Amino acid sequence: INITGDIADVWRYLRDQKDLLYILMTVFLVVFLSMPYTQLMPIFVDDVLGVGGTGYGILVAVQGGGSIFGSLLMASMPSRIGRGRLLILSGTLLGVAVSLFAFSESYPLSLVLMAFIGLAQAGRMTLPVALLQSYSEGEYRARVMSFYGVEFGLSSFGSFFAAMLVGSIGIQWSVGGMALGLIAASVLIYTFLPRLRRLA
């Protein structure tokens, strides 16, 4: 098995297939800028909201409920219904919800925001998988999906970067600032990548 050759081959394929490259770039950007809240949640629970372990569990449960609802919503939609546009909008909603959560000091408001975070996460996770599989050629599909798996590593890098910022700007501005960056990036993607938003 020539692993390096396979990687080089699929990378050439992605460079030629701009739609796939734009999908992956968008997903990586969304993951890097939005996911730090998951690793840094205990700090919010203790230092910002002050609700302890039980409150933490409820927050996670509410997010899970939002994700379930979002998944059912995605599954019920007709096929090929502007999934590129929905992917960008999911990233925007995630950025808005995470930024508001980061600056919220109200537990009830944070619960509501966690439901929206879960909803946006469902779109962020399901839509790129559907798009990548739909637009990849059969012989490259598995290798393209392996590139998609890079997002799990980027999540850790995003959390590491946000944690480095905590000491200088605080937890709220660290996570919230990155989420605000995601909102700005989503607007730019929607504006300057019409090819992505037109994907069915």
Side-chain angles (χ1 to χ4, degrees):
I1 300 176
N2 186 357
I3 296 177
T4 56
D6 286 342
I7 293 174
D9 188 34
V10 73
W11 177 244
R12 286 191 293 269
Y13 176 70
L14 289 172
R15 284 189 304 175
D16 293 336
Q17 302 296 321
K18 299 299 185 184
D19 292 339
L20 299 177
L21 189 60
Y22 292 154
I23 294 167
L24 288 170
M25 289 172 57
T26 300
V27 171
F28 295 162
L29 187 64
V30 171
V31 168
F32 182 83
L33 293 174
S34 71
M35 293 306 290
Y37 82 92
T38 58
Q39 300 297 323
L40 300 177
M41 181 74 76
I43 304 178
F44 283 102
V45 170
D46 290 337
D47 297 347
V48 179
L49 299 174
V51 293
T54 300
Y56 183 15
I58 296 173
L59 284 169
V60 174
V62 170
Q63 178 184 332
S67 295
I68 292 173
F69 177 77
S71 298
L72 293 174
L73 186 64
M74 293 294 117
S76 65
M77 287 183 175
S79 60
R80 308 181 76 81
I81 185 171
R83 290 176 294 186
R85 187 188 306 269
L86 287 176
L87 174 60
I88 301 172
L89 293 178
S90 294
T92 307
L93 176 60
L94 187 57
V96 170
V98 171
S99 62
L100 290 175
F101 173 82
F103 294 109
S104 169
E105 297 182 0
S106 166
Y107 185 60
L109 175 59
S110 296
L111 286 173
V112 174
L113 292 170
M114 286 300 286
F116 281 100
I117 289 174
L119 175 65
Q121 286 280 28
R124 193 274 302 172
M125 295 178 70
T126 60
L127 289 167
V129 172
L131 286 167
L132 290 172
Q133 293 190 358
S134 296
Y135 286 90
S136 298
E137 297 177 24
E139 63 181 298
Y140 287 99
R141 188 167 294 129
R143 282 176 284 178
V144 169
M145 295 310 299
S146 70
F147 263 70
Y148 172 73
V150 172
E151 72 158 286
F152 299 106
L154 280 177
S155 175
S156 298
F157 277 111
S159 298
F160 177 73
F161 181 72
M164 289 177 58
L165 295 176
V166 169
S168 56
I169 62 177
I171 184 66
Q172 290 179 289
W173 274 106
S174 173
V175 173
M178 291 179 69
L180 290 172
L182 174 56
I183 298 172
S186 297
V187 172
L188 291 174
I189 290 171
Y190 191 90
T191 303
F192 294 106
L193 287 181
R195 181 169 180 166
L196 176 60
R197 71 170 185 260
R198 291 172 186 154
L199 293 179

